Amino acid sequence: MNVTSSTVFIPGATSGIGLGLALRLQAAGSTVVVGGRRTELLRRIAIEHPGIDTVEIDTTDPASIAAARAELAERHPALDTLVTMAGIMEPENLLDPASLDVAERTVAVNLLGPIRLVNAFLPGLLAQPAATVMTVSSGLAYVPLAATPTYNATKAAIHSFTESLRVQLTKSNVHVVELVPPATRTTLMGQQDSEAAMPLDEFLTEVMELLRTRPDAEQILVERVKWQRNAEAEGRYQDVLNVLSARYRD
């Protein structure tokens, strides 16, 4: 991925990491399209950030994805990068029967959404001279947080899906990369003021530097996520799990 000259579509980039990454990529020289469900929020982003294009999309709705694909094919025929950012994170009490609603909603957004996006946009990406699919997992794909069991599971599934996608596209023009965020100070799970979470600007700066210096990387790993990403390989899995479990109990 060339951060200075790509045409990037980021569904789910109306706030947090997604919007921050969109603005950083635009500042670096790329053309960026932000996708989301809320028309009024997209309108505000377009006004507040001139040059950012927007498109309405609901990644849980195949018809909405197809409509967005058709719209972008017309407005941005050079689209060469898809970042499957859309995701939700909600706590679940598995002893509560209502937790099933959270689980089903989480799977629909976090797992089926990215799979549908890849399926819809891959033909167009394959038609470009060079293209990128960036999936977004989490440090929790590698060591889970007890408060969010289905979120953890969907992110582990995204990691696995990404690995398979990369192998299947080995001989193609499409580079597949997995962004693995740590806990980051955004409104996701109310972490905007959490001392345990990485400041958003620091995260974005490190991500952009990694994208610049390692354009062929298979994973984008900031330093703050490596304690989770590498926990099992380094024999620290139980220790990291204990730390995250303590946070849940607190």
Side-chain angles (χ1 to χ4, degrees), residues 10-20 22 33-36 45 85-86:
I10 315 180
T14 54
S15 64
I17 290 174
L19 181 57
V33 184
V34 165
I45 289 171
M85 183 64 65

Side-chain angles (χ1 to χ4, degrees), residues 232-250:
E232 186 166 5
E234 295 174 356
R236 298 181 294 100
Y237 182 89
Q238 191 61 50
D239 291 339
V240 176
L241 183 63
N242 290 342
V243 170
L244 294 175
S245 296
R247 291 179 186 172
Y248 170 66
R249 288 191 293 269
D250 292 342

